[in-house]
Amino acid sequence: MTRPASESARSRAPTVAAGILSSRVAGLLREAVVTALLGLGVHADALQAAFKAPNFLQNLLGEGTISAAFIPVYSRLLEECRAEDAGRFAGAVFSLLVVLVSGLVVAGILLSRPLVSVMLFKWTQDAALVAAGELSVDRLALTIDLVRIAFPMTGMLVLSAWALGILNSHRRFFVPYFAPVLWNLAIISALLVTAQLVRGGLAVGDIGAFTEVLFAAFVGGFIGGILQFCVQLPLVFHVMKGFRLSLSTRVKGVKEAIAAFGPALAGRGISQLSAYVDMLLASFLAAGALSALRPALVLYLLPISLFGLSVAAAELPELARMDKGAVRPFLSRLRVSVRQSMFFTLPTAAGYLSVGFLIVGAWLRRGNFGLEDNYLVWAVLCAYSLGLVATTISRLLQNAFWALGDTRTPARIAAIRVSVSTVAAVPLMLWFDRWAVAEVVGLVPGSEPLKFGVVGLGLASTVAAWVELRYLSARLRRRVAGLTLPWRPILRMAGVALIAAGSGLALWRILPDWPVLLQAVATVGLFATVYLGCAKVLRFKELTVWAGRNPFRWGRRQADR
């Protein structure tokens, strides 16, 4: 049984996007502060590695796994008007999650040295390089100390994902997606305060000053993780009934969630393995590779979060509530969701490829982040942007599998993606690492010159993203007869995005030598004006969707136009 269309079919993606946008803007500010203080190099490499190392907890047990295993069961219990059972189910899941997370956090702290040494094997040579005067910092030792603070921080972020699952199921989207703003602000505050205290040391490149800034970031992150979890609790307990802590698996829904949890965990584990393989491979590249990867990925993931995950988060509870025999409404909802996410994802990819250099420069080029850094981050961003469309659509198709109760198929296909990405990455990164950024773009190289090797990782990820989309769409077509993706409207959007990109690129070429921020505002402003203007002239329905109107009244035929 489903709710009336007036209630259940109303698109909440703009609300989700507003919350995600707030947290992403805070994340952009955090990265701007980090790069201004550290630039790209050995200290920034250690920072990014230490954030990534314990991140498997958040990625394995966090939002993706909670969405796949918890939300469908909890949403169905609510739909069946069994709010008390839903509350008891949520309490049992929370209790089991606390026990699991606590054990993993303690293990991570105790085993931080072997874990980091395996993930960053190449860095085990840093001590000898420092002794020989070839490297300024032992990145391995520094990362191990930072990871011991990062594990408790990540544990709090996992518990925040449980609260997010509760609120999403009750169609409360803004607060859980806004909550990471507090995490980012805590890190920013800690960085700025510490930088003010040691600003003299940063100015002269003192190793101790940089190290203090690194530790401040992780202490701030731990405090921010507590804030991110706690700010959601009042609303969680307001909407939830019957909550009761319990470690029993006999509570209704728990066994079903555990059955779905295993494959979902495997899928997330495979995806996380891909991230760690990339980190391991990047550790073999020239210094600065890891720290260049991070800001490029922040920009790359921005449209996926805003326009892909926001749609997916709003739709998963609704798809889970639908009658699985109602194929036509299911397909219509999925097609409209794809169009809705593509409306802004396509121009974002085109913008990154055409004027992304200015976007990166306006965001990061200050302090220790210079022109050479700007070129490298843009090159990495371009490599990943070629797979942006495929990755976003794949997230929506995974969402459809989860709503159908199938968490195994996305996990298997994720394994294929990781294999393809790894096989393609090794030759590509080694070839690109032959080229120094400064030499290619005509700059004077620094003492530790940056190289393009990490671009190979981005290109390999793009190849794997399109392979994943191909397999997901083929497997979903077997499950749901009549599935077709709306390629015609996607191609129309792509054509308009290319026209907008051409106009922005042309303006950039004729602009005087203004500060990079003014150039970015002018070119991106023209780009957005041309794209949205053409979309209005061509009467793209998605304009009304992101204005908060109901997209699902279009019907099946309109969704394919």
Side-chain angles (χ1 to χ4, degrees):
M1 179 179 180
T2 59
R3 297 186 186 275
S6 61
E7 180 179 351
S8 66
R10 186 180 300 118
S11 175
R12 293 169 177 82
T15 302
V16 183
I20 293 176
L21 178 61
S22 301
S23 65
R24 293 301 177 181
V25 168
L28 293 174
L29 291 174
R30 183 197 72 228
E31 290 299 322
V33 172
V34 168
T35 53
L37 295 175
L38 303 177
L40 300 185
V42 289
H43 283 92
D45 281 351
L47 177 77
Q48 305 307 340
F51 267 122
K52 177 68 72 174
N55 211 37
F56 78 90
L57 272 182
Q58 186 179 2
N59 286 324
L60 282 180
L61 306 177
E63 181 181 345
T65 306
I66 290 290
S67 296
F70 177 79
I71 292 180
V73 177
Y74 188 82
S75 296
R76 283 198 294 271
L77 290 173
L78 292 178
E79 183 66 16
E80 295 168 0
C81 300
R82 306 175 68 171
E84 294 289 335
D85 287 341
R88 284 191 286 272
F89 165 69
V93 169
F94 179 76
S95 301
L96 294 169
L97 194 61
V98 168
V99 172
L100 179 60
V101 169
S102 300
L104 290 174
V105 166
V106 172
I109 293 172
L110 296 177
L111 300 174
S112 57
R113 179 171 294 278
L115 284 174
V116 175
S117 298
V118 169
M119 289 187 296
L120 298 165
F121 175 76
K122 182 69 174 178
W123 288 9
T124 57
Q125 302 175 14
D126 276 14
L129 293 174
V130 171
E134 298 178 24
L135 199 64
S136 58
V137 175
D138 183 348
R139 292 171 294 178
L140 183 72
L142 183 57
T143 302
I144 290 170
D145 290 338
L146 294 173
V147 161
R148 289 171 179 152
I149 307 174
F151 263 107
M153 172 194 74
T154 309
M156 296 306 304
L157 297 179
V158 172
L159 298 182
S160 296
W162 170 84
L164 178 145
I166 296 289
L167 296 177
N168 279 6
S169 299
H170 286 274
R171 302 186 176 100
R172 304 293 182 93
F173 297 106
F174 182 77
V175 169
Y177 286 105
F178 177 83
V181 170
L182 300 178
W183 181 72
N184 285 301
L185 290 180
I187 295 175
I188 292 171
S189 300
L191 284 170
L192 292 178
V193 170
T194 306
Q196 184 67 20
L197 294 175
V198 299
R199 64 183 184 276
L202 293 177
V204 299
D206 178 61
I207 300 298
F210 281 106
T211 302
E212 288 188 44
V213 168
L214 290 182
F215 277 95
F218 285 87
V219 173
F222 176 66
I223 296 172
I226 296 173
L227 295 175
Q228 179 177 329
F229 174 56
C230 292
V231 75
Q232 299 178 70
L233 291 182
L235 186 56
V236 166
F237 290 113
H238 173 72
V239 299
M240 185 171 51
K241 298 180 181 179
F243 177 81
R244 187 182 307 160
L245 294 175
S246 171
L247 292 174
S248 173
T249 58
R250 297 182 180 180
V251 175
K252 183 173 181 59
V254 170
K255 290 183 179 180
E256 181 182 353
I258 291 175
F261 183 83
L265 187 67
R268 295 298 294 178
I270 293 169
S271 298
Q272 187 65 8
L273 176 62
S274 176
Y276 286 124
V277 169
D278 284 352
M279 186 169 68
L280 174 64
L281 294 175
S283 71
F284 284 85
L285 300 174
L290 265 179
S291 47
L293 189 62
R294 175 61 184 174
L297 286 177
V298 168
L299 287 178
Y300 166 73
L301 293 172
L302 182 61
I304 296 175
S305 299
L306 287 177
F307 313 124
L309 296 184
S310 62
V311 174
E315 288 304 298
L316 179 57
E318 306 304 331
L319 290 173
R321 287 178 167 96
M322 292 182 70
D323 182 353
K324 298 305 177 286
V327 175
R328 183 169 178 175
F330 184 91
L331 290 176
S332 178
R333 197 169 191 104
L334 181 60
R335 279 191 291 267
V336 171
S337 297
V338 170
R339 286 188 56 175
Q340 191 177 345
S341 64
M342 286 296 100
F343 181 68
F344 283 121
T345 301
L346 276 164
T348 302
Y352 285 164
L353 291 168
S354 58
V355 296
F357 177 82
L358 295 178
I359 294 172
V360 173
W363 174 34
L364 299 176
R365 203 194 303 167
R366 59 186 60 83
N368 288 317
F369 189 94
L371 200 58
E372 185 183 9
D373 306 321
N374 196 156
Y375 275 110
L376 179 57
V377 172
W378 181 40
V380 178
L381 177 61
C382 287
Y384 277 98
S385 295
L386 294 171
L388 189 54
V389 168
T391 300
T392 304
I393 298 177
S394 293
R395 295 301 170 265
L396 294 170
L397 297 186
Q398 287 175 353
N399 211 50
F401 277 107
W402 294 345
L404 293 170
D406 182 359
T407 55
R408 296 179 182 275
T409 299
R412 295 190 186 104
I413 296 175
I416 296 174
R417 174 174 181 161
V418 172
S419 300
V420 171
S421 179
T422 304
V423 170
V426 174
L428 285 171
M429 75 174 199
L430 292 177
W431 188 82
F432 275 99
D433 210 43
R434 297 162 54 193
W435 307 96
V437 176
E439 293 178 3
V440 171
V441 301
L443 299 174
V444 178
S447 58
E448 294 178 338
L450 301 174
K451 295 186 177 182
F452 281 113
V454 70
V455 173
L457 296 179
L459 292 175
S461 175
T462 287
V463 172
W466 286 101
V467 170
E468 180 184 40
L469 176 60
R470 171 69 179 83
Y471 276 98
L472 282 172
S473 57
R475 295 294 175 85
L476 188 58
R477 197 175 295 116
R478 295 179 188 175
R479 290 289 307 270
V480 184
L483 169 69
T484 57
L485 294 176
W487 289 115
R488 284 180 59 192
I490 288 176
L491 290 175
R492 290 178 67 205
M493 294 176 200
V496 174
L498 289 175
I499 293 172
S503 65
L505 191 59
L507 178 61
W508 178 21
R509 294 306 180 191
I510 65 174
L511 281 176
D513 190 22
W514 291 349
V516 66
L517 178 59
L518 294 181
Q519 293 185 59
V521 170
T523 55
V524 173
L526 177 63
F527 182 103
T529 300
V530 170
Y531 182 78
L532 294 175
C534 290
K536 185 172 180 61
V537 170
L538 295 174
R539 297 181 179 179
F540 284 3
K541 301 288 187 181
E542 291 75 19
L543 274 175
T544 62
V545 175
W546 289 102
R549 298 180 186 177
N550 179 10
F552 301 105
R553 63 185 180 185
W554 300 353
R556 180 175 179 175
R557 183 176 300 174
Q558 288 83 354
D560 291 327
R561 286 180 182 173

